[in-house]
Amino acid sequence: MKMTSKTAVSGDHGDRTFTLGELAERIGADLRGAADIRVVGVAPLDEARPDEVSFVGHPRYAPLAAVSRAAALIVDASCKELERPLLLSNNPHLTFARAAALFAKPPRLAAGVHDTAYTGPGIVFGDDVAVGPLAHVGADCQIGPRTLICGGAYLGDGVVIGADCIIHSRVVILDACRIGDRVIVNSGAVIGSDGFGFVQDEQGHHFKIPQMGIVQIDDDVEIGANSTIDRATLGKTWIRKGTKIDNMVHIAHNVVVGEHCLLVAQVGIAGSTQLGNHVVIAGQTGVLDHVTIGDRARVAAKSAVAHSIKAGEDMAGIPAVPIKEWMRTYGNFRRLSQFRNQLKELAEKVKELEQAMQGNSDD
Amino acid sequence: MKMTSKTAVSGDHGDRTFTLGELAERIGADLRGAADIRVVGVAPLDEARPDEVSFVGHPRYAPLAAVSRAAALIVDASCKELERPLLLSNNPHLTFARAAALFAKPPRLAAGVHDTAYTGPGIVFGDDVAVGPLAHVGADCQIGPRTLICGGAYLGDGVVIGADCIIHSRVVILDACRIGDRVIVNSGAVIGSDGFGFVQDEQGHHFKIPQMGIVQIDDDVEIGANSTIDRATLGKTWIRKGTKIDNMVHIAHNVVVGEHCLLVAQVGIAGSTQLGNHVVIAGQTGVLDHVTIGDRARVAAKSAVAHSIKAGEDMAGIPAVPIKEWMRTYGNFRRLSQFRNQLKELAEKVKELEQAMQGNSDD
Amino acid sequence: MKMTSKTAVSGDHGDRTFTLGELAERIGADLRGAADIRVVGVAPLDEARPDEVSFVGHPRYAPLAAVSRAAALIVDASCKELERPLLLSNNPHLTFARAAALFAKPPRLAAGVHDTAYTGPGIVFGDDVAVGPLAHVGADCQIGPRTLICGGAYLGDGVVIGADCIIHSRVVILDACRIGDRVIVNSGAVIGSDGFGFVQDEQGHHFKIPQMGIVQIDDDVEIGANSTIDRATLGKTWIRKGTKIDNMVHIAHNVVVGEHCLLVAQVGIAGSTQLGNHVVIAGQTGVLDHVTIGDRARVAAKSAVAHSIKAGEDMAGIPAVPIKEWMRTYGNFRRLSQFRNQLKELAEKVKELEQAMQGNSDD
């Protein structure tokens, strides 16, 4: 089967258009060039059409920028000499993201509850909530205004969700969990599954500790596809405002993740661990249970955090140590063959010396 | 949107209440105090209300215990001097879990098949089975008594499930897989997906080996959210009784996991590997294909098991070695800078000695 | 509840039967023995019945082969002396897979759209497409002939899928993503979720970069259960033809995976990284963003790729280095205790030598 050319890739924008003058004002950039050119979207430098805006992230892209067909380029002062219409910004990455957000097509979902969705009794819907086909909204849920519950999403009983959230298809949010405003949960994420809590009995059998708490997710959090956040044993597992969590991240019961953290894909955080604010945990790293990670600490990818980390520390390794120590030790690790040869050489020299001494003594 | 105070956190219990006397009998504890006080739930020491029971896991919590408002405290002999109503137990963690289980609210799901669920032909339902909204039960399934198939769960054709199971929302159990009694499968888990089996042809293309076996899960197993257990190529992938599997654990085709094992989050077990009984694999560890792990072996977090492990061994590292060897080697690893300095020093001394010898010889 | 014996394990085949003569022709093997024996399936050596075919992967299994009840054995020349009906092949693994594929039961799903499925406007279905119960096919999708959209699968708007695909239960394919022919997507996989793209503003808050691109998956690709493939920021995340991806693999935005690659379970590939053709990445390995991996490169399990890799290189370690270097360094790593002892010994000897020299000089 052929794919028709009408299918969207880049170049498929929403219906919004702006003049460069309007755009500059909206994104807080300083326009150098004609204000009345009308633009319909954003695109990479080499793909942008004359009605699209692009950006230059680094002066090394200046040659590419010079030949781009884009209507205007978002740049910082280092590129202000480019003889093109420019949108000057101190932070062109951020300004470009803001421009892209203006043009981005919101998910299409008509307000109201679709006929094929299931809704339990006692639900309170805010204005303009949309519940897609085959979604499940359990009894006594409260859903804030303009929130989208996409097709096939599942909310258990008593779930509370704030305003302007996007709950994508096939998300599961289980009983009594609470979600703030402007939260995005990507498909396949599971929020409120049982924590992994067992006690061994006399026979070494694992007796399940009932997981009776909830998950609370605060405003402006994003949760990645197929991530899991377990409910607390008692009390709450808590993701605080502004934190962004990538795909397939595992957050165990009673963990607290502070504000504005980044947890990259396939990270795992074990039970009752506490992260401060602005913490960054890179991909595939694991953090043991019951440790504390201070504000603005950062942990490199594929590390294993076994102990608490002070604020502002950068860590790496299995187990994680301060990154400078890790680099020094790792440098020596790679010199091991050299050490081995030096040891052998030294041992020979010492032997020779001993024999020579022996000889001298024998004189 | 404000969250209403009626939403459940801790303090939200089921409808069951017990006197301390009844509770002591049910959980097998020895009551020191008035038997007629009525309690409605369990809570942490510092949050417990006068109608809740709490527990002291360690004598260091005795000061907190002394000021707790709890109706009674589950403790072991080390805390028996506390001047509070006590529920004495040899294993207070276990006793507390048993108490919590008595109070825990079972998932609410009315018996019977919901109107919006799909059910194929030839299904045999036991008594009081509940099938939630938008669930899918394929042809010829057999579902044991009192089992809950929660809303949005998917069972393929010919799936057999025992009694008293909880199959959570959005679980997928594919054709012909078999589940025992009292099994809990958390949301998003996939049981019976195709194993990763391919043969290369002459062009280096990967030809799919049909995955024709099943997954068998025995009694009292729990499977975590978003975990995957692949069906066997031929025969069965087998999770034996009492084993508990955390979130995002990957079990490949033809693996056998023995009885009463614990597999912590994000573990991966490659094809045809066999685990004995009471094995513990900590988080993010990987086990290679076709290896055997003996009874009661334990593997530390973030390890990579490349060879078979004898019964009772404790292992760690990438690749995994006996944990004592790992600790010794790792200790030396951290001393590498020191070794390097010692080597340099020694080399200098030897040089001086050589020069001195040279001087002596020249005399 | 008892499990009935009619439930499928091995020994449960489809309805197709072949004579050995027909089978030999179909799978391209050279038959030694009677051509008219009728067979109904494949099975392991020790389980095969007289109407099933088995195979011998290695001469060490010859004793087992000699007593197998199988109707015929697929073998290579090393086993041609076996006094049994034989199906000779240069690549018995591949030939066995082809035989198994002939007998494998295709998923049962009647052509047409099930009553309980949701379908949006503007969809173009090819001939004999099957859409199972409670599936969701969004507006303007194009589905190629004979493709199965299994029960509970979710396709967003404008999704394009080719011919002869199997989209398993609970798969999510989001808006505008494109899938080729003969693609298999296992349950729980999410294709087209938002990439993890944020820009920090002045307060250290993370501003979401709209993820406006798509995912394109070419012909003959297989995607494992609960894997996630994020849509591109702009342009496309691209999985090229013949590549096989295992369970819980994470592919970030704008990644390109070349043709005929194998990505084993729990691998993670960070943003904009490019893999060549025939690349193999073993389980639990992570690859950093913006690196390039050459054709036929292979990376061992549990590695971390931090830099680009040349074509044909074999790599291992955290960070990954050429595997020979890794083995040499790791060998020395395990000798660290020995090095430590040698250092100590040498230091003592040097001390003795110094004292002896001192003595000589004092003479």
Side-chain angles (χ1 to χ4, degrees), chain A residues 194-201 204-209, chain B residues 94 164 181-186 217-225 227 229 238-251 257-267 269 275-283:
Chain A
D194 277 0
F196 195 64
F198 300 92
V199 196
Q200 275 198 27
D201 70 11
H205 299 177
H206 307 291
F207 186 89
K208 182 177 177 72
I209 303 170
Chain B
L94 179 60
D164 299 301
D181 296 334
R182 295 174 305 280
V183 169
I184 299 172
V185 187
N186 283 281
I217 293 176
D218 291 347
D219 298 343
D220 299 301
V221 166
E222 180 162 349
I223 308 288
S227 285
I229 305 179
W238 189 13
I239 313 295
R240 298 182 62 193
K241 73 176 179 193
T243 282
K244 310 298 184 183
I245 295 179
D246 201 350
N247 294 353
M248 279 188 253
V249 170
H250 164 65
I251 309 280
V257 179
E259 301 180 358
H260 308 294
C261 295
L262 291 178
L263 306 190
V264 182
Q266 298 176 318
V267 157
I269 313 283
L275 275 62
N277 300 330
H278 300 280
V279 169
V280 179
I281 313 275

Coordinates of all heavy atoms in Angstrom, one line a residue, chain A residues 194-201 204-209, chain B residues 94 164 181-186 217-225 227 229 238-251 257-267 269 275-283:
Chain A
D194 N 0.1 -1.2 42.8 CA 0.6 -1.6 44.1 C 2.1 -1.5 44.3 O 2.8 -2.0 43.4 CB 0.1 -3.0 44.4 CG -1.3 -3.1 44.9 OD1 -2.0 -2.1 45.0 OD2 -1.8 -4.2 45.2
G195 N 2.6 -1.0 45.4 CA 4.0 -1.0 45.7 C 4.4 -2.5 45.9 O 3.6 -3.3 46.2
F196 N 5.8 -2.7 45.8 CA 6.3 -4.0 46.0 C 6.7 -4.2 47.4 O 7.8 -4.1 47.8 CB 7.5 -4.1 45.1 CG 8.0 -5.5 44.8 CD1 7.3 -6.4 44.1 CD2 9.3 -5.9 45.2 CE1 7.7 -7.7 43.8 CE2 9.8 -7.2 44.9 CZ 9.0 -8.1 44.2
G197 N 5.7 -4.6 48.2 CA 5.9 -4.7 49.7 C 5.5 -6.1 50.2 O 4.3 -6.4 50.1
F198 N 6.4 -6.8 50.7 CA 6.1 -8.1 51.2 C 6.9 -8.4 52.5 O 7.9 -7.8 52.7 CB 6.5 -9.2 50.2 CG 5.8 -9.1 48.9 CD1 6.3 -8.3 47.9 CD2 4.5 -9.6 48.7 CE1 5.6 -8.1 46.7 CE2 3.8 -9.4 47.5 CZ 4.4 -8.7 46.5
V199 N 6.3 -9.2 53.4 CA 7.1 -9.6 54.6 C 7.2 -11.1 54.5 O 6.2 -11.8 54.2 CB 6.3 -9.3 55.9 CG1 7.3 -9.4 57.1 CG2 5.7 -8.0 55.8
Q200 N 8.4 -11.7 54.8 CA 8.6 -13.1 54.8 C 8.0 -13.7 56.1 O 8.2 -13.2 57.2 CB 10.0 -13.5 54.7 CG 10.5 -13.5 53.3 CD 11.8 -14.3 53.2 OE1 12.1 -15.2 54.0 NE2 12.6 -13.9 52.2
D201 N 7.3 -14.8 55.9 CA 6.8 -15.6 57.1 C 7.9 -16.6 57.4 O 9.0 -16.7 56.8 CB 5.4 -16.1 56.9 CG 5.4 -17.3 55.9 OD1 6.5 -17.8 55.5 OD2 4.3 -17.6 55.5
G204 N 9.5 -18.6 54.7 CA 10.1 -17.9 53.5 C 9.1 -17.6 52.5 O 9.5 -17.3 51.3
H205 N 7.8 -17.6 52.8 CA 6.8 -17.2 51.9 C 6.6 -15.7 52.0 O 6.8 -15.2 53.1 CB 5.5 -17.9 52.1 CG 5.6 -19.4 52.0 ND1 4.6 -20.3 52.2 CD2 6.6 -20.2 51.6 CE1 5.0 -21.5 52.0 NE2 6.2 -21.5 51.6
H206 N 6.2 -15.0 50.9 CA 6.1 -13.6 50.9 C 4.7 -13.2 51.1 O 3.8 -13.4 50.3 CB 6.7 -13.0 49.6 CG 8.1 -13.5 49.3 ND1 9.2 -13.1 50.1 CD2 8.5 -14.4 48.4 CE1 10.2 -13.8 49.6 NE2 9.9 -14.5 48.6
F207 N 4.4 -12.5 52.3 CA 3.1 -12.1 52.6 C 2.9 -10.6 52.1 O 3.7 -9.8 52.5 CB 2.8 -12.2 54.1 CG 1.4 -11.9 54.5 CD1 0.5 -12.9 54.6 CD2 1.1 -10.6 54.8 CE1 -0.8 -12.6 54.9 CE2 -0.2 -10.3 55.2 CZ -1.2 -11.3 55.3
K208 N 1.9 -10.4 51.4 CA 1.7 -9.1 50.8 C 1.3 -8.0 51.8 O 0.3 -8.2 52.6 CB 0.6 -9.1 49.7 CG 0.3 -7.8 49.0 CD -0.7 -7.9 47.9 CE -1.1 -6.6 47.2 NZ 0.0 -6.1 46.4
I209 N 2.0 -6.9 51.9 CA 1.6 -5.8 52.7 C 0.6 -5.0 51.9 O 1.0 -4.5 50.8 CB 2.8 -4.9 53.1 CG1 3.9 -5.7 53.8 CG2 2.4 -3.7 53.9 CD1 5.2 -5.0 53.9
Chain B
L94 N 5.4 -8.8 59.9 CA 4.4 -9.7 59.4 C 3.0 -9.5 60.0 O 2.0 -9.5 59.4 CB 4.9 -11.2 59.5 CG 4.0 -12.3 59.0 CD1 3.7 -12.1 57.5 CD2 4.6 -13.7 59.3
D164 N -10.0 -16.5 42.9 CA -9.6 -15.4 43.8 C -8.4 -14.6 43.2 O -7.6 -14.1 44.0 CB -9.2 -15.9 45.2 CG -10.4 -16.6 45.8 OD1 -11.4 -15.9 46.1 OD2 -10.3 -17.8 46.1
D181 N -4.3 -19.8 41.2 CA -5.2 -19.2 42.2 C -4.5 -18.1 42.9 O -3.3 -18.1 43.2 CB -5.7 -20.2 43.3 CG -6.5 -21.4 42.6 OD1 -7.1 -21.1 41.6 OD2 -6.5 -22.5 43.2
R182 N -5.3 -17.1 43.4 CA -4.8 -16.0 44.2 C -3.7 -15.2 43.5 O -2.8 -14.7 44.2 CB -4.4 -16.5 45.6 CG -5.5 -17.0 46.4 CD -5.1 -17.6 47.7 NE -4.0 -18.7 47.5 CZ -4.3 -19.9 47.1 NH1 -5.6 -20.3 47.0 NH2 -3.4 -20.8 46.9
V183 N -3.7 -15.2 42.2 CA -2.6 -14.4 41.5 C -3.1 -13.0 41.3 O -4.3 -12.7 41.1 CB -2.4 -15.1 40.1 CG1 -1.5 -14.2 39.2 CG2 -1.7 -16.5 40.3
I184 N -2.2 -12.1 41.5 CA -2.4 -10.6 41.3 C -1.6 -10.2 40.1 O -0.4 -10.4 40.1 CB -2.1 -9.8 42.5 CG1 -3.0 -10.2 43.7 CG2 -2.3 -8.3 42.2 CD1 -2.6 -9.5 45.0
V185 N -2.2 -9.6 39.1 CA -1.5 -9.1 38.0 C -1.7 -7.6 37.9 O -2.9 -7.2 37.8 CB -1.8 -9.7 36.6 CG1 -0.9 -9.2 35.5 CG2 -1.7 -11.3 36.7
N186 N -0.7 -6.8 38.1 CA -0.9 -5.3 38.1 C -1.0 -4.7 36.7 O -0.6 -5.3 35.7 CB 0.2 -4.7 38.8 CG 0.1 -4.8 40.3 OD1 -0.7 -4.1 41.0 ND2 0.8 -5.8 40.9
I217 N 1.5 -19.5 35.1 CA 1.8 -18.8 36.3 C 1.1 -19.5 37.4 O -0.2 -19.7 37.3 CB 1.3 -17.3 36.2 CG1 2.2 -16.6 35.2 CG2 1.4 -16.6 37.6 CD1 1.8 -15.1 34.9
D218 N 1.8 -19.9 38.4 CA 1.2 -20.7 39.5 C 0.6 -19.9 40.6 O 0.6 -18.7 40.6 CB 2.2 -21.7 40.0 CG 2.6 -22.8 38.9 OD1 1.9 -22.9 37.9 OD2 3.6 -23.5 39.1
D219 N 0.1 -20.6 41.6 CA -0.7 -19.9 42.7 C 0.2 -18.9 43.4 O 1.4 -19.0 43.6 CB -1.1 -21.0 43.7 CG -2.0 -22.0 43.1 OD1 -2.6 -21.8 42.1 OD2 -2.2 -23.1 43.8
D220 N -0.5 -17.8 43.9 CA 0.0 -16.9 44.8 C 1.2 -16.0 44.2 O 2.0 -15.5 45.0 CB 0.5 -17.5 46.1 CG -0.6 -18.2 46.8 OD1 -1.6 -17.5 47.2 OD2 -0.6 -19.5 47.0
V221 N 1.2 -16.0 42.9 CA 2.2 -15.1 42.3 C 1.7 -13.7 42.2 O 0.5 -13.5 42.0 CB 2.6 -15.7 40.9 CG1 3.4 -14.7 40.0 CG2 3.4 -17.0 41.0
E222 N 2.6 -12.7 42.2 CA 2.1 -11.3 41.9 C 3.1 -10.8 40.8 O 4.3 -11.0 40.9 CB 2.2 -10.4 43.1 CG 1.7 -9.0 42.8 CD 1.3 -8.1 43.9 OE1 1.1 -8.6 45.1 OE2 1.1 -6.9 43.7
I223 N 2.5 -10.2 39.8 CA 3.3 -9.6 38.7 C 3.1 -8.1 38.7 O 2.0 -7.6 38.8 CB 2.7 -10.1 37.3 CG1 2.6 -11.6 37.3 CG2 3.5 -9.6 36.2 CD1 3.9 -12.4 37.2
G224 N 4.2 -7.3 38.6 CA 4.1 -5.9 38.7 C 3.7 -5.2 37.5 O 3.6 -5.8 36.4
A225 N 3.4 -3.9 37.6 CA 2.9 -3.1 36.5 C 3.9 -3.0 35.4 O 5.1 -2.9 35.6 CB 2.6 -1.7 37.0
S227 N 5.2 -5.1 33.6 CA 6.1 -6.2 33.3 C 5.7 -7.0 32.1 O 4.5 -7.0 31.7 CB 6.2 -7.2 34.6 OG 6.9 -6.5 35.6
I229 N 6.0 -11.0 30.3 CA 6.4 -12.4 30.3 C 6.1 -13.0 29.0 O 4.9 -13.2 28.6 CB 5.7 -13.1 31.5 CG1 5.9 -12.4 32.8 CG2 6.2 -14.6 31.6 CD1 5.3 -13.0 34.0
W238 N 7.5 -20.4 32.7 CA 6.8 -20.9 33.9 C 7.2 -20.1 35.1 O 8.4 -20.0 35.4 CB 7.2 -22.4 34.1 CG 6.4 -23.1 35.1 CD1 5.3 -22.7 35.8 CD2 6.8 -24.4 35.6 NE1 4.9 -23.7 36.7 CE2 5.8 -24.7 36.6 CE3 7.8 -25.3 35.3 CZ2 5.8 -25.9 37.3 CZ3 7.8 -26.5 36.0 CH2 6.8 -26.8 37.0
I239 N 6.3 -19.4 35.8 CA 6.5 -18.7 37.0 C 5.9 -19.5 38.1 O 4.6 -19.7 38.2 CB 5.9 -17.3 37.0 CG1 6.2 -16.6 35.7 CG2 6.3 -16.5 38.2 CD1 7.7 -16.3 35.5
R240 N 6.7 -20.1 39.0 CA 6.2 -21.0 40.0 C 5.6 -20.3 41.3 O 5.8 -19.1 41.5 CB 7.2 -22.1 40.3 CG 7.5 -22.9 39.0 CD 8.5 -24.0 39.3 NE 8.0 -24.9 40.2 CZ 8.7 -25.9 40.8 NH1 10.0 -26.0 40.5 NH2 8.1 -26.7 41.6
K241 N 5.0 -21.1 42.1 CA 4.1 -20.5 43.1 C 4.8 -19.6 44.1 O 5.9 -19.9 44.5 CB 3.4 -21.6 43.9 CG 4.2 -22.5 44.8 CD 3.3 -23.5 45.6 CE 4.2 -24.3 46.5 NZ 3.6 -25.5 47.0
G242 N 4.1 -18.6 44.5 CA 4.6 -17.7 45.6 C 5.6 -16.7 45.1 O 6.0 -15.9 46.0
T243 N 6.0 -16.7 43.9 CA 7.0 -15.7 43.4 C 6.4 -14.4 43.2 O 5.3 -14.2 42.7 CB 7.7 -16.3 42.1 OG1 8.6 -17.3 42.5 CG2 8.4 -15.2 41.3
K244 N 7.1 -13.3 43.6 CA 6.7 -11.9 43.5 C 7.6 -11.2 42.5 O 8.8 -11.2 42.7 CB 6.6 -11.3 44.8 CG 6.0 -12.1 45.9 CD 4.5 -12.3 45.7 CE 3.9 -13.1 46.9 NZ 2.5 -13.4 46.7
I245 N 7.0 -10.6 41.5 CA 7.7 -9.9 40.5 C 7.3 -8.4 40.5 O 6.1 -8.1 40.5 CB 7.4 -10.6 39.1 CG1 8.0 -12.0 39.1 CG2 8.0 -9.7 37.9 CD1 7.8 -12.8 37.8
D246 N 8.2 -7.6 40.5 CA 8.0 -6.1 40.6 C 7.7 -5.5 39.2 O 7.5 -6.2 38.3 CB 9.3 -5.5 41.2 CG 9.1 -4.1 41.8 OD1 8.0 -3.5 41.7 OD2 10.0 -3.6 42.5
N247 N 7.7 -4.2 39.1 CA 7.3 -3.5 37.9 C 8.4 -3.6 36.8 O 9.6 -3.7 37.1 CB 7.1 -2.0 38.1 CG 5.9 -1.7 39.0 OD1 5.2 -2.6 39.4 ND2 5.8 -0.5 39.4
M248 N 8.0 -3.6 35.6 CA 8.9 -3.5 34.4 C 10.0 -4.6 34.4 O 11.1 -4.3 34.1 CB 9.5 -2.2 34.3 CG 8.6 -1.2 33.7 SD 9.4 0.4 33.4 CE 8.6 1.4 34.6
V249 N 9.6 -5.8 34.9 CA 10.5 -6.9 34.8 C 10.2 -7.6 33.5 O 9.1 -7.8 33.1 CB 10.3 -7.8 36.0 CG1 11.1 -9.2 35.9 CG2 10.8 -7.1 37.3
H250 N 11.3 -8.0 32.8 CA 11.2 -8.8 31.6 C 11.6 -10.2 31.8 O 12.7 -10.5 32.2 CB 12.1 -8.1 30.5 CG 12.3 -8.9 29.3 ND1 11.3 -9.3 28.5 CD2 13.4 -9.5 28.9 CE1 11.8 -10.1 27.5 NE2 13.1 -10.2 27.7
I251 N 10.7 -11.1 31.4 CA 11.0 -12.6 31.5 C 10.8 -13.1 30.1 O 9.8 -13.1 29.5 CB 9.9 -13.3 32.4 CG1 9.8 -12.6 33.8 CG2 10.3 -14.8 32.5 CD1 10.8 -12.9 34.8
V257 N 11.0 -19.6 36.5 CA 11.3 -19.0 37.8 C 10.7 -19.8 38.9 O 9.5 -20.2 38.9 CB 10.7 -17.5 37.9 CG1 11.0 -16.9 39.2 CG2 11.3 -16.7 36.7
G258 N 11.6 -20.3 39.9 CA 11.1 -21.2 40.9 C 10.1 -20.6 41.9 O 9.6 -19.5 41.7
E259 N 10.0 -21.3 43.0 CA 9.0 -20.9 44.0 C 9.5 -19.8 44.9 O 10.7 -19.9 45.3 CB 8.5 -22.1 44.8 CG 7.9 -23.2 43.9 CD 7.5 -24.4 44.7 OE1 7.7 -24.4 46.0 OE2 7.0 -25.4 44.1
H260 N 8.6 -18.9 45.3 CA 8.9 -17.9 46.3 C 10.2 -17.1 46.0 O 10.9 -16.7 46.9 CB 9.1 -18.6 47.7 CG 7.9 -19.5 48.0 ND1 6.6 -19.0 48.2 CD2 7.8 -20.8 48.1 CE1 5.8 -20.0 48.5 NE2 6.4 -21.1 48.4
C261 N 10.4 -16.8 44.8 CA 11.4 -15.8 44.4 C 11.0 -14.4 44.5 O 9.8 -14.1 44.5 CB 11.9 -16.1 43.0 SG 12.6 -17.8 42.8
L262 N 11.9 -13.5 44.5 CA 11.6 -12.0 44.4 C 12.4 -11.5 43.3 O 13.7 -11.6 43.3 CB 12.0 -11.3 45.7 CG 11.3 -11.5 47.0 CD1 11.9 -10.7 48.1 CD2 9.8 -11.2 46.8
L263 N 11.8 -10.9 42.3 CA 12.5 -10.2 41.2 C 12.1 -8.8 41.3 O 10.9 -8.4 41.1 CB 12.0 -10.8 39.9 CG 12.1 -12.3 39.6 CD1 11.9 -12.7 38.2 CD2 13.5 -12.8 40.1
V264 N 13.1 -7.9 41.6 CA 12.8 -6.5 41.8 C 12.7 -5.7 40.5 O 13.1 -6.3 39.5 CB 13.9 -6.0 42.8 CG1 13.6 -4.5 43.1 CG2 13.9 -6.8 44.1
A265 N 12.3 -4.5 40.6 CA 12.0 -3.7 39.4 C 13.1 -3.7 38.3 O 14.2 -3.6 38.6 CB 11.6 -2.3 39.8
Q266 N 12.6 -3.8 37.1 CA 13.5 -3.6 35.9 C 14.5 -4.7 35.7 O 15.5 -4.5 35.0 CB 14.1 -2.2 35.9 CG 13.1 -1.1 35.9 CD 13.6 0.3 36.0 OE1 14.5 0.6 36.8 NE2 13.1 1.3 35.2
V267 N 14.3 -5.8 36.4 CA 15.2 -7.0 36.1 C 14.8 -7.6 34.8 O 13.7 -7.5 34.3 CB 15.0 -8.0 37.3 CG1 15.4 -9.4 36.8 CG2 15.8 -7.6 38.5
I269 N 15.4 -11.3 32.5 CA 15.9 -12.6 32.5 C 15.8 -13.1 31.1 O 14.7 -13.2 30.5 CB 15.0 -13.6 33.4 CG1 14.8 -12.9 34.8 CG2 15.6 -14.9 33.6 CD1 15.9 -13.0 35.8
L275 N 15.7 -20.3 37.3 CA 15.9 -19.9 38.6 C 15.3 -21.0 39.6 O 14.2 -21.5 39.4 CB 15.2 -18.6 38.9 CG 16.0 -17.3 38.5 CD1 16.2 -17.2 37.1 CD2 15.2 -16.1 39.0
G276 N 16.1 -21.3 40.7 CA 15.6 -22.2 41.7 C 14.5 -21.5 42.6 O 13.9 -20.5 42.2
N277 N 14.4 -22.0 43.8 CA 13.4 -21.5 44.7 C 14.0 -20.5 45.6 O 15.2 -20.5 45.9 CB 12.8 -22.6 45.6 CG 12.1 -23.7 44.7 OD1 11.6 -23.4 43.6 ND2 12.2 -24.9 45.2
H278 N 13.2 -19.5 46.1 CA 13.7 -18.5 47.0 C 14.9 -17.7 46.5 O 15.7 -17.2 47.3 CB 14.1 -19.2 48.4 CG 12.9 -19.9 49.0 ND1 12.0 -19.2 49.8 CD2 12.6 -21.2 49.1 CE1 11.1 -20.1 50.2 NE2 11.4 -21.3 49.8
V279 N 15.0 -17.6 45.2 CA 16.0 -16.7 44.6 C 15.6 -15.2 44.7 O 14.4 -14.9 44.6 CB 16.3 -17.1 43.2 CG1 17.1 -16.1 42.4 CG2 16.9 -18.5 43.1
V280 N 16.6 -14.4 45.0 CA 16.3 -12.9 45.0 C 17.2 -12.2 44.0 O 18.4 -12.4 44.1 CB 16.5 -12.3 46.4 CG1 16.3 -10.8 46.4 CG2 15.7 -13.0 47.5
I281 N 16.6 -11.5 43.1 CA 17.3 -10.7 42.1 C 17.0 -9.3 42.3 O 15.8 -8.9 42.1 CB 17.0 -11.1 40.6 CG1 17.0 -12.7 40.4 CG2 17.9 -10.4 39.6 CD1 18.3 -13.3 40.2
A282 N 17.9 -8.5 42.7 CA 17.7 -7.1 43.0 C 17.5 -6.2 41.7 O 17.8 -6.7 40.6 CB 18.7 -6.5 43.9
G283 N 17.1 -5.0 41.9 CA 16.7 -4.2 40.8 C 17.7 -3.9 39.7 O 18.9 -3.8 39.9

